[in-house]
Amino acid sequence: MNIRPCKPDDATAISDIYNHYIKNTVITFEEEWVDHKIMEDRIKTYTKTHPWLVLENELGEVAGYAYAAKWQPRSAYKQTCEITVYLDKDQSGYGYGSALYKALLPLLKTSGFHTVVAGIALPNEASVKLQESFGFKKVTHFQQVGRKFDRWIDVGHWQLLLNDISFEQ
């Protein structure tokens, strides 16, 4: 496995991974497919200020990605970011999500971020387990704030203070 910074050339592989979640899950509240050009624009825009990483499997294929993004627009929040991870639907269970977080979280800390927030559509046991395995604590639970596939969905937020933890190299 290889973890590296995301490039605009990864847009097709990333949009393929992401579109599965749009079409089949409530993990994202996005409802319209994201083509590779839209994803390429997102990558170019987001990576100006926040890291995006991709994980290549043993075959050199993009098997997942994780990224940070602005959490809130006001300048007082500039040291807080939101993170997420997406894996190819056939590539879960190999520890790729954990590997991406092990690379992303120290990078955020050394980049000057103080607080990391992860929003999770609930229920989502796998995502909750991933966040909590890295020390994230649940701080909110909003009932029925999203609607997708003709049903209401709860959302929780998990928070991690980067200065409170150390990362082993």
Side-chain angles (χ1 to χ4, degrees):
M1 125 179 61
N2 178 44
I3 296 175
R4 60 171 174 76
C6 181
K7 304 176 297 203
D9 292 354
D10 296 316
T12 298
I14 288 174
S15 61
D16 288 347
I17 291 169
Y18 187 54
N19 283 328
H20 164 76
Y21 292 95
I22 292 172
K23 181 180 178 185
N24 299 295
T25 78
V26 297
I27 288 172
T28 177
F29 285 176
E30 200 148 11
E31 296 179 293
E32 300 295 324
W33 281 58
V34 176
D35 71 24
H36 72 280
K37 292 302 269 175
I38 293 171
M39 188 59 75
E40 183 178 328
D41 289 344
R42 287 183 187 180
I43 293 166
K44 286 177 182 177
T45 299
Y46 286 40
T47 57
K48 288 178 185 175
T49 56
H50 294 79
W52 278 43
L53 300 175
V54 296
L55 182 144
E56 297 171 328
N57 63 17
E58 290 73 21
L59 301 174
E61 303 163 332
V62 174
Y65 65 101
Y67 66 91
K70 186 182 290 189
W71 184 61
Q72 293 286 335
R74 306 269 192 299
S75 63
Y77 296 112
K78 66 183 172 231
Q79 291 176 289
T80 299
C81 63
E82 184 169 7
I83 63 171
T84 193
V85 61
Y86 287 95
L87 301 177
D88 180 283
K89 65 179 174 51
D90 298 321
Q91 299 289 314
S92 61
Y94 297 105
Y96 292 161
S98 292
L100 281 160
Y101 268 21
K102 284 178 186 173
L104 183 60
L105 290 170
L107 182 58
L108 291 170
K109 185 174 181 175
T110 60
S111 297
F113 289 97
H114 176 74
T115 303
V116 180
V117 176
I120 304 173
L122 299 171
N124 185 335
E125 185 178 328
S127 189
V128 169
K129 183 178 175 182
L130 176 65
Q131 308 314 313
E132 291 180 352
S133 74
F134 282 90
F136 283 75
K137 303 291 185 214
K138 186 175 184 182
V139 293
T140 68
H141 187 122
F142 296 107
Q143 295 182 339
Q144 301 180 15
V145 293
R147 188 164 177 85
K148 189 172 177 183
F149 303 137
D150 294 321
R151 67 181 176 104
W152 288 105
I153 299 136
D154 293 1
V155 173
H157 287 95
W158 276 252
Q159 177 185 17
L160 179 67
L161 300 177
L162 291 170
N163 290 339
D164 290 348
I165 60 171
S166 62
F167 296 100
E168 310 251 343
Q169 297 297 333

